[in-house]
Amino acid sequence: QKEVEQDPGPLSVPEGAIVSLNCTYSNSAFQYFMWYRQYSRKGPELLMYTYSSGNKEDGRFTAQVDKSSKYISLFIRDSQPSDSATYLCAMRTSNTGKLIFGQGTTLQVKP
Amino acid sequence: NAGVTQTPKFRVLKTGQSMTLLCAQDMNHEYMYWYRQDPGMGLRLIHYSVGEGTTAKGEVPDGYNVSRLKKQNFLLGLESAAPSQTSVYFCASSDRGWTEAFFGQGTRLTVV
């Protein structure tokens, strides 16, 4: 079993929709939770991060962490065609430096 | 600002050949990582390093070796390439504690 599980999709939504992306994990030692966005043929870039549990909002993006359920989410409001990309969740423990990614979810936002 | 630079960007190898991928970062980061990315598999951690002279195995270390002789460089070696190692390889670096991991542009490797 992978330490981090993510539904690969693909996910196709109309412009303006609310998008929900999710990951589950098995390692309770993870403390840092991140979402990366990757455009085709590019390296991943950090989108959002959260330390431990809670919510974080940045513009149209909201990241949630539920450590009791070992579940994290990324919500995108008012989705735009420019949001079309692969979204990868990532997690790290506080002291080992080991950074683990999910499989990535491919999102397409149709105009 | 160079950030993380990977060399080469593309390579075709024959089965059984060896090669070394070079990752260089100019941000004085402690941590460095090598990942491979295959369709539907996300980024899988091959090896990582938490400081100069240290290395550790990730999720898929078999068939690869690494070295971190200098803080700014992290080398990934394939001793005897196999078609299953055809992939896009990404290097990343980050600092201690919480900081963003910065990625290189990737190396597309094909083993025939």
Side-chain angles (χ1 to χ4, degrees):
Chain A
Q1 182 189 3
K2 284 179 64 69
E3 285 186 277
V4 180
E5 297 280 357
Q6 183 178 6
D7 186 343
L11 184 61
S12 182
V13 301
E15 182 176 355
I18 296 174
V19 177
S20 173
L21 304 169
N22 311 293
C23 288
T24 59
Y25 63 96
S26 58
N27 187 349
S28 59
F30 286 136
Q31 292 282 353
Y32 299 105
F33 302 91
M34 293 142 266
W35 288 94
Y36 280 78
R37 180 171 59 193
Q38 185 179 24
Y39 292 111
S40 181
R41 293 184 169 265
K42 300 288 186 182
E45 295 180 322
L46 183 67
L47 187 63
M48 297 278 290
Y49 76 90
T50 309
Y51 176 72
S52 194
S53 286
N55 296 354
K56 187 170 185 177
E57 187 173 325
D58 184 3
R60 296 184 296 110
F61 299 89
T62 299
Q64 290 184 350
V65 175
D66 181 348
K67 291 195 73 179
S68 62
S69 301
K70 296 190 177 68
Y71 188 87
I72 70 170
S73 301
L74 177 71
F75 298 96
I76 307 174
R77 291 183 299 279
D78 188 24
S79 56
Q80 303 295 308
S82 59
D83 295 329
S84 297
T86 296
Y87 290 81
L88 300 121
C89 62
M91 306 178 191
R92 216 189 85 188
T93 64
S94 60
N95 57 0
T96 67
K98 186 177 177 182
L99 180 62
I100 300 295
F101 282 79
Q103 296 97 313
T105 300
T106 300
L107 172 67
Q108 183 180 25
V109 181
K110 295 183 177 180
Chain B
N1 295 334
V4 179
T5 303
Q6 293 181 229
T7 308
K9 292 183 175 58
F10 304 93
R11 185 74 185 267
V12 178
L13 280 181
K14 293 183 178 179
T15 297
Q17 286 185 320
S18 64
M19 78 163 294
T20 300
L21 281 68
L22 171 64
C23 178
Q25 52 97 2
D26 61 2
M27 296 171 282
N28 202 36
H29 284 166
E30 291 289 338
Y31 298 166
M32 295 188 75
Y33 308 87
W34 274 109
Y35 293 91
R36 62 177 289 173
Q37 188 170 37
D38 305 292
M41 302 294 287
L43 288 164
R44 292 185 291 172
L45 182 63
I46 304 171
H47 287 280
Y48 65 104
S49 168
V50 297
E52 182 177 314
T54 75
T55 62
K57 293 181 179 180
E59 300 172 280
V60 289
D62 293 342
Y64 304 95
N65 56 75
V66 288
S67 63
R68 183 109 181 259
L69 299 179
K70 294 183 178 180
K71 186 177 183 179
Q72 63 269 33
N73 295 337
F74 195 29
L75 279 63
L76 177 70
L78 285 74
E79 291 185 347
S80 180
S84 61
Q85 294 178 306
T86 293
S87 188
V88 180
Y89 292 85
F90 284 100
C91 175
S93 73
S94 71
D95 215 341
R96 286 185 180 278
W98 161 252
T99 59
E100 176 179 355
F102 292 87
F103 282 80
Q105 74 277 33
T107 296
R108 293 184 175 274
L109 175 67
T110 301
V111 182
V112 297

